[in-house]
Amino acid sequence: PAQQGSAMRNYLLLKFACRVMGRLPVSIGYPFAAVVAEIAFVFSRRSKRAVIDNLRRALEVDDKRALNRVARGVFRSLAWNYFDLLRIPRLSRAKLEPGFTIHGWRHFEEAVASGRGIILATAHLGSFDLAAQLWAVRGYRMTVLVEPLAHHPQFRLMTQIRESRGLSFIPVGPGSLKRVVRELRSGGVVVLACDRDLGG
């Protein structure tokens, strides 16, 4: 029951944030998101502990002050990513593209021209939700495999936001492989985030 209550609270917060945060200019939204991240860092003890434990293993560092500093940055980066997610439905190509420096786009276009389907391998680095939208605003069909959330209303809302520019998101699970193969055979693009093991 406590977990369900927490999931419902997160869903309602996300719904509220969609209506309010998504309309803010970046000059206000990013600083506000940084403040939210700082509050979360102080009060979300379980999440903070999990992040610091992961960083300790990844960085092989035991300095508590250094780990806290990096963990704070992780929280801030995550908050900025959530703000970027909320902006997606209102972003045009003209607003989105200037925020990115794109290298080697011609390689992607050549792969598309081959008609054989493409698998893009990536990781959760930078503003990955916004980066994925570059393909949508340039008119490409793309299917992204994502982690299914246990709280279905929250998952549906996040998927709705992410798909608002024309991308397609499918949860990893039974049946997702068939859809991936179908997309590739029809010359589509499938995106895999390779830095997390979602399905064992």
Side-chain angles (χ1 to χ4, degrees):
Q3 244 181 347
Q4 283 179 336
S6 173
M8 184 52 76
R9 186 185 66 237
N10 289 343
Y11 166 70
L12 293 172
L13 277 171
L14 183 63
K15 209 163 184 186
F16 173 76
C18 285
R19 296 188 179 193
V20 179
M21 288 288 290
R23 298 175 188 277
L24 294 178
V26 292
S27 58
I28 296 171
Y30 284 134
F32 182 77
V35 170
V36 170
E38 190 62 31
I39 293 167
F41 183 77
V42 172
F43 292 104
S44 301
R45 289 181 184 157
R46 186 194 288 172
S47 297
K48 178 180 171 180
R49 194 163 49 244
V51 168
I52 288 173
D53 285 346
N54 286 339
L55 289 171
R56 186 179 287 113
R57 289 187 187 94
L59 303 177
E60 297 181 344
V61 170
D62 255 339
D63 182 334
K64 193 175 179 182
R65 188 178 292 178
L67 287 168
N68 269 324
R69 188 175 63 249
V70 178
R72 253 193 174 91
V74 170
F75 272 72
R76 189 168 54 247
S77 180
L78 188 60
W80 286 340
N81 281 344
Y82 269 109
F83 174 62
D84 283 339
L85 172 71
L86 299 173
R87 294 169 54 215
I88 288 170
R90 293 174 181 83
L91 282 179
S92 63
R93 181 171 178 171
K95 284 182 180 175
L96 179 67
E97 284 199 337
F100 291 90
T101 303
I102 302 165
H103 300 280
W105 186 263
R106 67 181 177 83
H107 300 297
F108 173 76
E109 289 179 325
E110 287 168 7
V112 169
S114 76
R116 294 188 311 194
I118 301 166
I119 296 175
L120 287 179
T122 185
H124 292 87
L125 296 170
S127 189
F128 49 86
D129 269 313
L130 270 195
Q133 302 302 320
L134 282 170
W135 278 263
V137 297
R138 289 183 169 200
Y140 289 98
R141 190 179 89 241
M142 199 159 82
T143 300
V144 185
L145 289 170
V146 292
E147 176 185 14
L149 298 178
H151 191 253
H152 298 299
Q154 187 179 346
F155 180 72
R156 275 197 304 272
L157 180 57
M158 287 184 74
T159 302
Q160 197 177 7
I161 296 166
R162 286 170 162 165
E163 290 183 339
S164 61
R165 308 295 312 168
L167 298 180
S168 179
F169 287 76
I170 57 171
V172 173
S176 56
L177 185 59
K178 280 184 182 177
R179 186 161 167 193
V180 165
V181 171
R182 195 164 61 241
E183 285 294 323
L184 292 172
R185 283 184 175 156
S186 66
V189 182
V190 174
V191 182
L192 303 175
C194 297
D195 58 337
R196 294 189 63 197
D197 179 6
L198 298 181

